[in-house]
Amino acid sequence: MKYEVDLLGFYGKYGGSFVPELLHANIKELENNYKKIISEVAFQKEYYSLLQDYVGRPSPLFYAKRLSERYKTNIYLKREDLNHTGAHKINNTIGQILLAKRMKKNRIIAETGAGQHGVATATVCALMGLSCIIYMGEKDIKRQAPNVARMKMLGAQVRAVSSGSKTLKDATNEAIRDWINNPIDTHYIIGSVVGPHPYPEMVTLFQSVISEEMKKQLMDKIGRSYPDRIIACIGGGSNAAGAYYHYLDNNKVELVSVEAGGLGIHSGKSAASSILGSDGVIHGSLTLLMQDQDGQIEEPYSISAGLDYPGIGPLHAHLIRTGRTKVLYATDLEALTAGFLLAELEGIIPALESAHALAALEKINFRKQEHTVVNLSGRGDKDMQAYMEYKNRKKDGKK
Amino acid sequence: MGKNRLDKLFNQQKEEVLSIYITTGYPKIDSMPILVEALANLGVDFIEVGMPYSDPLADGDTIQYSSSIALKNGINLDKYFEQVQYVRSKVTIPLLFMGYFNQLLRVGIDAFLSKCVQSGIDGLILPDMPPELYEKKYKATFEKYDLSLSFLITPTTSDERIRLLDKLSTGFVYVVSTSSTTGNVTAFSDEQVQYFKRIKKLKLNNPTIIGFGISNREKFLIANKFTNGAIIGSSFIKALKHAQNIKTTTEEFVTKIKKG
Ligand SMILES: Cc1ncc(COP(=O)(O)O)c(C=O)c1O
């Protein structure tokens, strides 16, 4: 594979481990153990059996007929929204909780933006009987209230983060600081393909089940194992990394990543991290991120809490810089519109994050015979408030 | 080497080296030069001059807070170097840049270090500089500018890695007193003392300075039993938070540490 990490944890020039020495022992312990543990037969068996019986995998690959007609092409939805807890995030938390147990960690911490990763972490902690602390920005606690309630019902402690932009970036800082302060008994379940090596690689592997299933499902449906194009949104990039993984070396598959354009990418209020980004270090990895001329990380904005992050995973930085993936963006408004369109045409309410991927359909020139897969990373229950506000605004004749 | 003020300090003084950390731009945008001058006059031995960062992973609540205020006050790199250059014309005390790797990366390592030298900085502390990368890519540039770089070691750092970090460090080795970003208890635990003993026994090539959680004279004196001195950060920043007059507060603070 051309797109694997090297020995120091770099994808090309991106990645690595830029962490304070205070965190070095934790990261090293993980790095030294995780490959061995996850390749054990017993681990694999337990992982896949939980994915099947608990998560409900394989997630369907659904031919979206009316959507296909509208765009005059063939569109399939990879239904990660149908997973237990409502998003792809649980593929990763199942893997990491099994790892944590084998490493004898009994205290789990995680950050969350949209709350989907927080819920998925709280869920597996309940399942395994481990204690769970979730860091979440104050702003996100307000806009993703249903998920906060779910985490609490699942027995997790939700800690509000009030530093910086009070969103995902700052929640991640706090989770990392917690891990520094609790180096022995704690495992940090990071929620995306971000952070110091080996996290980006590990989370990619746990999410790669998405493209693993797609290969079989496409073979059944269209007689070949690959599509012409895959579209996914990127916050940190975990659902995209999982949907791309088994196709990275297959250049017949066009990979399209969709970033959050917020109020417009030149409005100063967006989370178009790679489009506006430059090389820099965030959360322990060298990648593309939004920063000022002094290297201060900028506060992003998106209506979607899961995409409201100023960086992207280092694998994506590498894929973008080598031209393997193409990056588009969708604004808040375009995403909301796409969300309503999917509800109307297919009876599916997508998460606002996934709605960004769907919005990209408007920006691509399709050929009729092509097969495009949109990774529908999650369901929209958590976003009903934002959808309804938009609808009411439209009814009142405002934008 | 020879011109470096920090090297000179450690050549002359092996014991009870006292360093104070300050956040540039805090409590007011132009407080730093006033504080540096006051600290130098009070016989403090070197100063960690912090450049606030948006995402300071290795800092506890107090310094994070001071950094966010300083950024709101409008501190930036240009102003930082201007203030350093200004105060350098008044004092000879060694001044260290304390910040994060991304701040160097963004400007370019060579350009950044060149600015450090021009303004009168003697060395750097970068908690998230990876030692392997430093050795491979940046060490030569630091040497070219005769700037020290002090790596951090912690209670979870193995002896073998401590040797590596000692080998790569110049100036001194920064002994983080706890595996914690917020070690603000009033006395050292037995575990911490054991860890200091372990460091002392290793007889490192560089001088050693203990930092994180040094909050009073008692802790400063204990630190001195095992290492060449100590750095005080959060505790001083806290004192500044409620200061009517930062000069008097600084005098009171340093006198308490030095004389009890
Ligand atoms: C449904 C959904 N999709 C996408 C994302 C973005 O994360 P990633 O880019 O890691 O897939 C999130 C994050 O919270 C999410 O909840």
Side-chain angles (χ1 to χ4, degrees):
Chain A
M1 291 268 287
K2 276 201 315 228
Y3 301 100
E4 300 288 348
V5 283
D6 67 18
L7 281 172
L8 289 174
F10 282 88
Y11 297 94
K13 69 190 261 211
Y14 297 109
S17 178
F18 297 81
V19 296
E21 186 60 27
L22 296 137
L23 210 56
H24 181 264
N26 305 24
I27 298 282
K28 225 27 200 193
E29 185 190 6
L30 184 64
E31 193 189 336
N32 291 342
N33 286 300
Y34 104 91
K35 273 253 164 99
K36 196 175 78 227
I37 292 175
I38 72 168
S39 57
E40 282 164 7
V41 177
F43 180 97
Q44 291 281 325
K45 236 174 114 180
E46 197 176 354
Y47 175 63
Y48 280 104
S49 119
L50 281 171
L51 286 186
Q52 178 184 305
D53 299 336
Y54 188 69
V55 176
R57 300 202 74 91
S59 70
L61 184 71
F62 173 68
Y63 181 70
K65 187 159 170 287
R66 297 182 66 201
L67 201 62
S68 298
E69 279 164 10
R70 180 181 172 103
Y71 291 107
K72 300 192 174 48
T73 186
N74 299 298
I75 297 170
Y76 302 79
L77 304 175
K78 181 61 174 158
R79 299 289 309 273
E80 294 300 303
D81 61 315
L82 292 178
N83 292 339
H84 178 42
T85 70
H88 67 292
K89 297 283 180 188
I90 198 160
N91 304 329
N92 169 43
T93 61
I94 293 269
Q96 287 204 49
I97 201 80
L98 294 178
L99 182 68
K101 262 184 50 179
R102 281 164 171 79
M103 290 175 66
K104 311 238 171 339
K105 307 287 179 184
N106 53 32
R107 181 175 175 274
I108 300 297
I109 55 171
E111 85 296 340
T112 196
Q116 286 303 129
H117 176 60
V119 168
T121 303
T123 297
V124 295
C125 286
L127 181 68
M128 298 295 166
L130 300 181
S131 86
C132 179
I133 294 164
I134 305 292
Y135 289 92
M136 187 168 188
E138 268 177 3
K139 181 175 168 193
D140 293 338
I141 287 184
K142 288 206 190 92
R143 61 178 160 170
Q144 305 277 239
N147 276 343
V148 178
R150 291 167 81 198
M151 286 183 265
K152 288 187 176 160
M153 180 157 174
L154 290 160
Q157 187 191 339
V158 181
R159 292 194 183 160
V161 175
S162 58
S163 56
S165 50
K166 302 177 174 53
T167 60
L168 183 53
K169 161 176 92 79
D170 312 284
T172 308
N173 287 340
E174 250 1 278
I176 292 175
R177 288 193 190 103
D178 179 310
W179 204 23
I180 288 175
N181 292 329
N182 298 282
I184 309 295
D185 63 343
T186 299
H187 176 68
Y188 174 25
I189 300 192
I190 221 165
S192 191
V193 289
V194 301
H197 176 66
Y199 276 110
E201 180 187 37
M202 179 168 77
V203 178
T204 298
L205 288 176
F206 288 140
Q207 290 293 357
S208 69
V209 64
I210 300 173
S211 48
E212 191 181 310
E213 290 172 2
M214 260 159 59
K215 284 172 80 170
K216 287 196 212 92
Q217 291 166 323
L218 284 167
M219 186 54 93
D220 285 350
K221 287 192 160 51
I222 63 172
R224 61 170 214 234
S225 64
Y226 61 93
D228 297 290
R229 183 183 296 104
I230 302 172
I231 306 175
C233 65
I234 38 176
S238 68
N239 86 86
Y244 300 167
Y245 184 76
H246 289 284
Y247 300 112
L248 286 173
D249 287 328
N250 181 350
N251 285 326
K252 291 192 204 110
V253 186
E254 183 183 49
L255 306 174
V256 181
S257 301
V258 188
E259 297 190 328
L263 303 182
I265 56 170
H266 299 301
S267 66
K269 287 213 158 293
S270 86
S273 320
S274 84
I275 298 171
L276 300 176
S278 52
D279 290 4
V281 170
I282 182 170
H283 298 137
S285 102
L286 175 59
T287 185
L288 291 169
L289 62 94
M290 292 159 55
Q291 57 184 330
D292 72 9
Q293 59 183 17
D294 284 0
Q296 308 283 1
I297 299 175
E298 285 178 354
E299 297 185 359
Y301 163 79
S302 165
I303 192 173
S304 145
L307 304 184
D308 199 349
Y309 183 74
I312 53 173
L315 167 65
H316 290 290
H318 181 54
L319 293 173
I320 291 166
R321 285 299 189 243
T322 54
R324 179 65 188 96
T325 53
K326 181 170 145 184
V327 182
L328 299 176
Y329 70 90
T331 62
D332 287 0
L333 204 61
E334 289 166 338
L336 287 161
T337 311
F340 274 91
L341 184 70
L342 191 72
E344 183 193 319
L345 292 182
E346 303 290 350
I348 299 170
I349 300 174
L352 273 173
E353 291 76 19
S354 323
H356 283 73
L358 292 161
L361 294 171
E362 292 286 334
K363 308 184 175 192
I364 292 169
N365 291 318
F366 294 101
R367 278 175 292 125
K368 188 138 184 46
Q369 318 77 345
E370 277 177 349
H371 300 280
T372 293
V373 175
V374 179
N375 197 35
L376 200 69
S377 56
R379 70 177 86 123
D381 308 27
K382 67 186 176 63
D383 298 313
M384 289 317 295
Q385 196 185 337
Y387 280 132
M388 286 307 106
E389 275 168 19
Y390 166 69
K391 192 170 177 200
N392 292 337
R393 253 182 303 154
K394 242 177 60 169
K395 209 170 61 194
D396 297 346
K398 289 180 223 128
K399 267 225 303 191
Chain B
M1 303 210 184
K3 286 208 312 291
N4 188 295
R5 297 177 196 89
L6 191 66
D7 289 341
K8 233 197 259 163
L9 165 69
F10 284 113
N11 283 335
Q12 288 164 3
Q13 186 181 345
K14 310 278 185 223
E15 279 172 11
E16 294 195 21
V17 172
L18 173 63
S19 171
I20 301 278
Y21 166 89
I22 55 184
T23 302
T24 306
Y26 181 84
K28 297 271 157 51
I29 180 82
D30 51 5
S31 300
M32 185 268 269
I34 303 167
L35 291 171
V36 167
E37 232 188 311
L39 291 166
N41 291 336
L42 288 160
V44 166
D45 298 302
F46 71 93
I47 302 174
E48 255 188 78
V49 187
M51 170 62 205
Y53 184 52
S54 56
D55 294 74
L57 278 184
D59 290 318
D61 290 343
T62 306
I63 294 178
Q64 274 182 59
Y65 171 80
S66 67
S67 296
S68 69
I69 297 290
L71 289 169
K72 278 194 196 113
N73 286 343
I75 194 66
N76 58 30
L77 271 180
D78 283 345
K79 287 185 183 144
Y80 176 92
F81 285 122
E82 259 169 44
Q83 292 186 12
V84 171
Q85 187 159 18
Y86 164 75
V87 78
R88 177 45 88 207
S89 65
K90 309 191 151 206
V91 296
T92 56
I93 187 170
L95 301 174
L96 304 188
F97 173 92
M98 151 82 203
Y100 286 81
F101 180 66
N102 196 49
Q103 296 172 313
L104 277 70
L105 191 69
R106 180 66 171 150
V107 173
I109 307 290
D110 197 292
F112 192 97
L113 295 184
S114 159
K115 283 186 184 188
C116 283
V117 170
Q118 278 166 29
S119 62
I121 289 283
D122 302 289
L124 294 86
I125 300 173
L126 301 167
D128 60 347
M129 166 72 93
E132 298 79 9
L133 200 69
Y134 171 73
E135 186 168 24
K136 223 169 67 185
K137 277 178 84 171
Y138 305 126
K139 189 164 171 273
T141 317
F142 276 75
E143 284 170 2
K144 178 174 94 182
Y145 289 109
D146 194 14
L147 288 164
S148 72
L149 181 67
S150 297
F151 281 96
L152 277 58
I153 62 175
T154 82
T156 57
T157 312
S158 67
D159 287 358
E160 189 192 345
R161 190 168 168 85
I162 291 176
R163 295 265 179 232
L164 167 78
L165 295 170
D166 181 34
K167 193 187 90 189
L168 293 178
S169 290
T170 42
F172 62 94
V173 167
Y174 193 131
V175 180
V176 178
S177 74
T178 117
S179 308
S180 161
T181 52
T182 49
N184 262 323
V185 268
T186 41
F188 288 124
S189 67
D190 291 348
E191 255 179 330
Q192 282 176 296
V193 172
Q194 286 309 318
Y195 157 64
F196 299 153
K197 282 187 181 154
R198 172 162 75 98
I199 304 301
K200 185 169 182 168
K201 261 177 94 182
L202 286 172
K203 294 200 176 14
L204 302 183
N205 293 323
N206 283 289
T208 48
I209 300 285
I210 296 185
F212 283 52
I214 310 289
S215 47
N216 54 37
R217 177 167 169 79
E218 289 67 42
K219 285 179 114 176
F220 177 61
L221 291 179
I222 296 175
N224 282 313
K225 280 200 217 161
F226 303 100
T227 60
N228 303 80
I231 298 175
I232 299 179
S234 306
S235 170
F236 182 60
I237 299 292
K238 252 186 219 148
L240 290 179
K241 185 171 178 181
H242 303 292
Q244 297 283 336
N245 178 323
I246 56 173
K247 255 173 135 167
T248 354
T249 302
T250 304
E251 271 162 27
E252 283 165 15
F253 187 91
V254 174
T255 311
K256 251 202 209 144
I257 298 289
K258 285 185 113 83
K259 307 216 172 81

PDB file of all heavy atoms in Angstrom, chain A residues 87-89 114 116 192 233-239 306-307 351 353-354 377-378, ligand 1:
ATOM      1  N   ALA A  87     -24.232   6.322  14.045  1.00  0.00           N
ATOM      2  CA  ALA A  87     -23.154   6.851  13.200  1.00  0.00           C
ATOM      3  C   ALA A  87     -22.032   5.823  13.092  1.00  0.00           C
ATOM      4  O   ALA A  87     -22.033   4.796  13.775  1.00  0.00           O
ATOM      5  CB  ALA A  87     -22.618   8.165  13.755  1.00  0.00           C
ATOM      6  N   HIS A  88     -21.060   6.153  12.225  1.00  0.00           N
ATOM      7  CA  HIS A  88     -19.902   5.272  12.037  1.00  0.00           C
ATOM      8  C   HIS A  88     -19.001   5.231  13.262  1.00  0.00           C
ATOM      9  O   HIS A  88     -18.162   4.352  13.375  1.00  0.00           O
ATOM     10  CB  HIS A  88     -19.085   5.778  10.847  1.00  0.00           C
ATOM     11  CG  HIS A  88     -18.440   7.108  11.111  1.00  0.00           C
ATOM     12  ND1 HIS A  88     -19.161   8.274  11.248  1.00  0.00           N
ATOM     13  CD2 HIS A  88     -17.147   7.466  11.311  1.00  0.00           C
ATOM     14  CE1 HIS A  88     -18.352   9.283  11.506  1.00  0.00           C
ATOM     15  NE2 HIS A  88     -17.114   8.822  11.544  1.00  0.00           N
ATOM     16  N   LYS A  89     -19.145   6.179  14.159  1.00  0.00           N
ATOM     17  CA  LYS A  89     -18.193   6.326  15.264  1.00  0.00           C
ATOM     18  C   LYS A  89     -18.033   5.040  16.071  1.00  0.00           C
ATOM     19  O   LYS A  89     -16.970   4.774  16.632  1.00  0.00           O
ATOM     20  CB  LYS A  89     -18.629   7.461  16.184  1.00  0.00           C
ATOM     21  CG  LYS A  89     -18.635   8.830  15.505  1.00  0.00           C
ATOM     22  CD  LYS A  89     -17.243   9.401  15.362  1.00  0.00           C
ATOM     23  CE  LYS A  89     -17.261  10.777  14.686  1.00  0.00           C
ATOM     24  NZ  LYS A  89     -15.918  11.263  14.378  1.00  0.00           N
ATOM     25  N   ALA A 114     -20.009  16.443  17.842  1.00  0.00           N
ATOM     26  CA  ALA A 114     -21.438  16.259  17.624  1.00  0.00           C
ATOM     27  C   ALA A 114     -22.070  15.432  18.731  1.00  0.00           C
ATOM     28  O   ALA A 114     -23.287  15.346  18.832  1.00  0.00           O
ATOM     29  CB  ALA A 114     -21.659  15.585  16.279  1.00  0.00           C
ATOM     30  N   GLN A 116     -21.726  12.249  18.809  1.00  0.00           N
ATOM     31  CA  GLN A 116     -21.842  10.876  18.306  1.00  0.00           C
ATOM     32  C   GLN A 116     -20.704  10.001  18.822  1.00  0.00           C
ATOM     33  O   GLN A 116     -20.919   8.865  19.209  1.00  0.00           O
ATOM     34  CB  GLN A 116     -21.847  10.860  16.778  1.00  0.00           C
ATOM     35  CG  GLN A 116     -23.121  11.338  16.154  1.00  0.00           C
ATOM     36  CD  GLN A 116     -24.335  10.554  16.607  1.00  0.00           C
ATOM     37  OE1 GLN A 116     -25.328  11.132  17.031  1.00  0.00           O
ATOM     38  NE2 GLN A 116     -24.273   9.233  16.547  1.00  0.00           N
ATOM     39  N   SER A 192     -11.439  10.349  15.981  1.00  0.00           N
ATOM     40  CA  SER A 192     -11.262  10.473  14.545  1.00  0.00           C
ATOM     41  C   SER A 192      -9.825  10.083  14.180  1.00  0.00           C
ATOM     42  O   SER A 192      -9.056   9.677  15.046  1.00  0.00           O
ATOM     43  CB  SER A 192     -11.601  11.885  14.077  1.00  0.00           C
ATOM     44  OG  SER A 192     -11.673  11.907  12.664  1.00  0.00           O
ATOM     45  N   CYS A 233     -17.869  13.260   3.978  1.00  0.00           N
ATOM     46  CA  CYS A 233     -17.537  14.514   4.650  1.00  0.00           C
ATOM     47  C   CYS A 233     -16.266  14.307   5.480  1.00  0.00           C
ATOM     48  O   CYS A 233     -15.954  13.186   5.851  1.00  0.00           O
ATOM     49  CB  CYS A 233     -18.693  14.963   5.556  1.00  0.00           C
ATOM     50  SG  CYS A 233     -19.030  13.865   6.942  1.00  0.00           S
ATOM     51  N   ILE A 234     -15.521  15.393   5.705  1.00  0.00           N
ATOM     52  CA  ILE A 234     -14.438  15.278   6.686  1.00  0.00           C
ATOM     53  C   ILE A 234     -14.462  16.365   7.744  1.00  0.00           C
ATOM     54  O   ILE A 234     -14.411  17.549   7.465  1.00  0.00           O
ATOM     55  CB  ILE A 234     -12.991  15.217   6.127  1.00  0.00           C
ATOM     56  CG1 ILE A 234     -12.752  16.123   4.930  1.00  0.00           C
ATOM     57  CG2 ILE A 234     -12.578  13.838   5.802  1.00  0.00           C
ATOM     58  CD1 ILE A 234     -11.264  16.054   4.519  1.00  0.00           C
ATOM     59  N   GLY A 235     -14.512  15.848   8.980  1.00  0.00           N
ATOM     60  CA  GLY A 235     -14.263  16.669  10.150  1.00  0.00           C
ATOM     61  C   GLY A 235     -12.800  16.413  10.466  1.00  0.00           C
ATOM     62  O   GLY A 235     -11.906  17.105   9.976  1.00  0.00           O
ATOM     63  N   GLY A 236     -12.553  15.345  11.209  1.00  0.00           N
ATOM     64  CA  GLY A 236     -11.183  14.841  11.353  1.00  0.00           C
ATOM     65  C   GLY A 236     -10.874  13.892  10.207  1.00  0.00           C
ATOM     66  O   GLY A 236      -9.740  13.760   9.765  1.00  0.00           O
ATOM     67  N   GLY A 237     -11.919  13.221   9.724  1.00  0.00           N
ATOM     68  CA  GLY A 237     -11.767  12.370   8.556  1.00  0.00           C
ATOM     69  C   GLY A 237     -11.905  10.877   8.782  1.00  0.00           C
ATOM     70  O   GLY A 237     -11.451  10.086   7.950  1.00  0.00           O
ATOM     71  N   SER A 238     -12.570  10.455   9.865  1.00  0.00           N
ATOM     72  CA  SER A 238     -12.595   9.011  10.118  1.00  0.00           C
ATOM     73  C   SER A 238     -13.585   8.266   9.240  1.00  0.00           C
ATOM     74  O   SER A 238     -13.300   7.165   8.778  1.00  0.00           O
ATOM     75  CB  SER A 238     -12.841   8.708  11.596  1.00  0.00           C
ATOM     76  OG  SER A 238     -14.136   9.079  12.000  1.00  0.00           O
ATOM     77  N   ASN A 239     -14.750   8.861   8.996  1.00  0.00           N
ATOM     78  CA  ASN A 239     -15.685   8.114   8.137  1.00  0.00           C
ATOM     79  C   ASN A 239     -15.135   8.068   6.715  1.00  0.00           C
ATOM     80  O   ASN A 239     -15.249   7.052   6.026  1.00  0.00           O
ATOM     81  CB  ASN A 239     -17.114   8.670   8.249  1.00  0.00           C
ATOM     82  CG  ASN A 239     -17.411   9.842   7.329  1.00  0.00           C
ATOM     83  OD1 ASN A 239     -17.785   9.647   6.174  1.00  0.00           O
ATOM     84  ND2 ASN A 239     -17.230  11.067   7.817  1.00  0.00           N
ATOM     85  N   GLY A 306     -19.785  18.169  14.304  1.00  0.00           N
ATOM     86  CA  GLY A 306     -18.811  17.124  13.996  1.00  0.00           C
ATOM     87  C   GLY A 306     -17.774  17.564  12.968  1.00  0.00           C
ATOM     88  O   GLY A 306     -16.743  16.917  12.804  1.00  0.00           O
ATOM     89  N   LEU A 307     -18.057  18.635  12.247  1.00  0.00           N
ATOM     90  CA  LEU A 307     -17.099  19.119  11.243  1.00  0.00           C
ATOM     91  C   LEU A 307     -16.409  20.399  11.707  1.00  0.00           C
ATOM     92  O   LEU A 307     -15.544  20.933  11.014  1.00  0.00           O
ATOM     93  CB  LEU A 307     -17.813  19.388   9.908  1.00  0.00           C
ATOM     94  CG  LEU A 307     -18.588  18.218   9.304  1.00  0.00           C
ATOM     95  CD1 LEU A 307     -19.162  18.613   7.945  1.00  0.00           C
ATOM     96  CD2 LEU A 307     -17.728  16.966   9.156  1.00  0.00           C
ATOM     97  N   ALA A 351     -27.503  13.028   9.316  1.00  0.00           N
ATOM     98  CA  ALA A 351     -26.800  13.922  10.233  1.00  0.00           C
ATOM     99  C   ALA A 351     -26.333  15.135   9.433  1.00  0.00           C
ATOM    100  O   ALA A 351     -26.074  15.030   8.230  1.00  0.00           O
ATOM    101  CB  ALA A 351     -25.605  13.216  10.852  1.00  0.00           C
ATOM    102  N   GLU A 353     -23.524  16.462   9.432  1.00  0.00           N
ATOM    103  CA  GLU A 353     -22.197  16.150   8.886  1.00  0.00           C
ATOM    104  C   GLU A 353     -22.364  15.469   7.525  1.00  0.00           C
ATOM    105  O   GLU A 353     -21.821  15.904   6.508  1.00  0.00           O
ATOM    106  CB  GLU A 353     -21.417  15.230   9.837  1.00  0.00           C
ATOM    107  CG  GLU A 353     -20.986  15.881  11.149  1.00  0.00           C
ATOM    108  CD  GLU A 353     -22.123  16.036  12.159  1.00  0.00           C
ATOM    109  OE1 GLU A 353     -23.142  15.339  12.002  1.00  0.00           O
ATOM    110  OE2 GLU A 353     -21.991  16.858  13.077  1.00  0.00           O
ATOM    111  N   SER A 354     -23.161  14.383   7.517  1.00  0.00           N
ATOM    112  CA  SER A 354     -23.369  13.618   6.281  1.00  0.00           C
ATOM    113  C   SER A 354     -24.062  14.466   5.221  1.00  0.00           C
ATOM    114  O   SER A 354     -23.850  14.260   4.015  1.00  0.00           O
ATOM    115  CB  SER A 354     -24.211  12.377   6.577  1.00  0.00           C
ATOM    116  OG  SER A 354     -23.879  11.827   7.830  1.00  0.00           O
ATOM    117  N   SER A 377     -22.672   8.997   6.928  1.00  0.00           N
ATOM    118  CA  SER A 377     -21.969   8.672   8.178  1.00  0.00           C
ATOM    119  C   SER A 377     -22.868   8.624   9.404  1.00  0.00           C
ATOM    120  O   SER A 377     -22.546   7.942  10.377  1.00  0.00           O
ATOM    121  CB  SER A 377     -20.846   9.681   8.403  1.00  0.00           C
ATOM    122  OG  SER A 377     -21.359  11.001   8.400  1.00  0.00           O
ATOM    123  N   GLY A 378     -24.010   9.320   9.367  1.00  0.00           N
ATOM    124  CA  GLY A 378     -24.850   9.261  10.562  1.00  0.00           C
ATOM    125  C   GLY A 378     -26.252   9.771  10.321  1.00  0.00           C
ATOM    126  O   GLY A 378     -26.556  10.359   9.281  1.00  0.00           O
TER     127      GLY A 378
HETATM  128  C1  LIG C   1     -22.360  11.568  11.727  1.00  0.00           C
HETATM  129  C2  LIG C   1     -20.978  12.118  11.696  1.00  0.00           C
HETATM  130  N1  LIG C   1     -20.331  12.187  10.526  1.00  0.00           N
HETATM  131  C3  LIG C   1     -19.093  12.697  10.446  1.00  0.00           C
HETATM  132  C4  LIG C   1     -18.434  13.184  11.547  1.00  0.00           C
HETATM  133  C5  LIG C   1     -17.080  13.796  11.357  1.00  0.00           C
HETATM  134  O1  LIG C   1     -16.041  13.015  11.834  1.00  0.00           O
HETATM  135  P1  LIG C   1     -15.079  12.245  10.844  1.00  0.00           P
HETATM  136  O2  LIG C   1     -14.585  13.228   9.875  1.00  0.00           O
HETATM  137  O3  LIG C   1     -14.022  11.732  11.746  1.00  0.00           O
HETATM  138  O4  LIG C   1     -15.839  11.167  10.203  1.00  0.00           O
HETATM  139  C6  LIG C   1     -19.057  13.116  12.797  1.00  0.00           C
HETATM  140  C7  LIG C   1     -18.370  13.612  13.993  1.00  0.00           C
HETATM  141  O5  LIG C   1     -18.877  13.809  15.025  1.00  0.00           O
HETATM  142  C8  LIG C   1     -20.364  12.563  12.870  1.00  0.00           C
HETATM  143  O6  LIG C   1     -21.016  12.494  14.036  1.00  0.00           O
END
